[in-house]
mmCIF file of all heavy atoms in Angstrom:
data_model
loop_
_atom_site.group_PDB
_atom_site.id
_atom_site.type_symbol
_atom_site.label_atom_id
_atom_site.label_comp_id
_atom_site.label_asym_id
_atom_site.label_seq_id
_atom_site.Cartn_x
_atom_site.Cartn_y
_atom_site.Cartn_z
ATOM 1 N N THR A 1381 311.214 -103.508 61.378
ATOM 2 C CA THR A 1381 312.456 -102.925 61.700
ATOM 3 C C THR A 1381 312.407 -101.396 61.904
ATOM 4 O O THR A 1381 313.134 -100.767 62.619
ATOM 5 C CB THR A 1381 313.504 -103.246 60.522
ATOM 6 O OG1 THR A 1381 313.014 -102.855 59.221
ATOM 7 C CG2 THR A 1381 313.886 -104.685 60.518
ATOM 8 N N ARG A 1382 311.379 -100.834 61.228
ATOM 9 C CA ARG A 1382 311.126 -99.379 61.459
ATOM 10 C C ARG A 1382 310.657 -99.221 62.826
ATOM 11 O O ARG A 1382 310.958 -98.160 63.527
ATOM 12 C CB ARG A 1382 310.249 -98.859 60.390
ATOM 13 C CG ARG A 1382 310.828 -98.507 59.093
ATOM 14 C CD ARG A 1382 309.980 -97.663 58.235
ATOM 15 N NE ARG A 1382 308.531 -98.175 58.012
ATOM 16 C CZ ARG A 1382 308.248 -99.074 57.009
ATOM 17 N NH1 ARG A 1382 309.138 -99.463 56.218
ATOM 18 N NH2 ARG A 1382 306.902 -99.578 56.876
ATOM 19 N N ILE A 1383 309.711 -100.062 63.273
ATOM 20 C CA ILE A 1383 309.037 -99.986 64.549
ATOM 21 C C ILE A 1383 310.167 -100.148 65.727
ATOM 22 O O ILE A 1383 310.263 -99.363 66.728
ATOM 23 C CB ILE A 1383 307.997 -100.977 64.726
ATOM 24 C CG1 ILE A 1383 306.698 -100.497 63.949
ATOM 25 C CG2 ILE A 1383 307.573 -101.072 66.163
ATOM 26 C CD1 ILE A 1383 305.600 -101.650 63.869
ATOM 27 N N THR A 1384 310.967 -101.103 65.513
ATOM 28 C CA THR A 1384 311.969 -101.467 66.670
ATOM 29 C C THR A 1384 313.167 -100.472 66.568
ATOM 30 O O THR A 1384 313.753 -100.297 67.615
ATOM 31 C CB THR A 1384 312.481 -102.951 66.571
ATOM 32 O OG1 THR A 1384 313.117 -103.016 65.228
ATOM 33 C CG2 THR A 1384 311.351 -103.863 66.763
ATOM 34 N N ALA A 1385 313.541 -100.074 65.421
ATOM 35 C CA ALA A 1385 314.700 -99.133 65.202
ATOM 36 C C ALA A 1385 315.942 -99.894 65.754
ATOM 37 O O ALA A 1385 316.810 -99.219 66.364
ATOM 38 C CB ALA A 1385 314.521 -97.760 65.910
ATOM 39 N N SER A 1386 316.047 -101.100 65.626
ATOM 40 C CA SER A 1386 317.120 -101.912 66.100
ATOM 41 C C SER A 1386 317.836 -102.634 65.015
ATOM 42 O O SER A 1386 317.170 -103.344 64.201
ATOM 43 C CB SER A 1386 316.734 -102.915 67.166
ATOM 44 O OG SER A 1386 317.631 -103.841 67.416
ATOM 45 N N LYS A 1387 319.191 -102.467 64.834
ATOM 46 C CA LYS A 1387 320.021 -103.128 63.813
ATOM 47 C C LYS A 1387 320.041 -104.668 64.068
ATOM 48 O O LYS A 1387 320.031 -105.468 63.197
ATOM 49 C CB LYS A 1387 321.364 -102.538 63.709
ATOM 50 C CG LYS A 1387 321.449 -101.206 63.275
ATOM 51 C CD LYS A 1387 321.036 -101.111 61.802
ATOM 52 C CE LYS A 1387 321.070 -99.616 61.247
ATOM 53 N NZ LYS A 1387 320.557 -99.562 59.898
ATOM 54 N N ILE A 1388 319.952 -105.090 65.373
ATOM 55 C CA ILE A 1388 320.038 -106.458 65.763
ATOM 56 C C ILE A 1388 318.601 -107.069 65.282
ATOM 57 O O ILE A 1388 318.844 -108.179 64.760
ATOM 58 C CB ILE A 1388 320.308 -106.626 67.268
ATOM 59 C CG1 ILE A 1388 321.612 -106.057 67.816
ATOM 60 C CG2 ILE A 1388 320.147 -108.036 67.698
ATOM 61 C CD1 ILE A 1388 321.767 -105.949 69.220
ATOM 62 N N ALA A 1389 317.648 -106.381 65.483
ATOM 63 C CA ALA A 1389 316.325 -106.962 65.150
ATOM 64 C C ALA A 1389 316.311 -107.094 63.648
ATOM 65 O O ALA A 1389 315.839 -108.108 63.041
ATOM 66 C CB ALA A 1389 315.207 -106.205 65.578
ATOM 67 N N GLU A 1390 316.751 -106.130 62.968
ATOM 68 C CA GLU A 1390 316.748 -106.219 61.402
ATOM 69 C C GLU A 1390 317.710 -107.255 60.881
ATOM 70 O O GLU A 1390 317.160 -108.127 60.113
ATOM 71 C CB GLU A 1390 317.260 -104.801 60.935
ATOM 72 C CG GLU A 1390 317.343 -104.838 59.333
ATOM 73 C CD GLU A 1390 317.925 -103.470 58.807
ATOM 74 O OE1 GLU A 1390 318.383 -102.726 59.653
ATOM 75 O OE2 GLU A 1390 317.885 -103.279 57.649
ATOM 76 N N ALA A 1391 318.785 -107.446 61.426
ATOM 77 C CA ALA A 1391 319.643 -108.571 61.078
ATOM 78 C C ALA A 1391 319.151 -109.865 61.378
ATOM 79 O O ALA A 1391 319.132 -110.799 60.468
ATOM 80 C CB ALA A 1391 321.070 -108.400 61.708
ATOM 81 N N GLU A 1392 318.543 -110.103 62.627
ATOM 82 C CA GLU A 1392 317.961 -111.393 62.973
ATOM 83 C C GLU A 1392 316.811 -111.721 61.979
ATOM 84 O O GLU A 1392 316.744 -112.877 61.583
ATOM 85 C CB GLU A 1392 317.518 -111.259 64.338
ATOM 86 C CG GLU A 1392 318.710 -111.175 65.382
ATOM 87 C CD GLU A 1392 318.785 -112.494 66.157
ATOM 88 O OE1 GLU A 1392 318.111 -113.395 66.045
ATOM 89 O OE2 GLU A 1392 319.870 -112.510 66.913
#
Side-chain angles (χ1 to χ4, degrees):
T1381 55
R1382 279 193 308 271
I1383 288 171
T1384 60
S1386 167
K1387 294 292 182 183
I1388 296 171
E1390 179 180 11
E1392 293 251 353

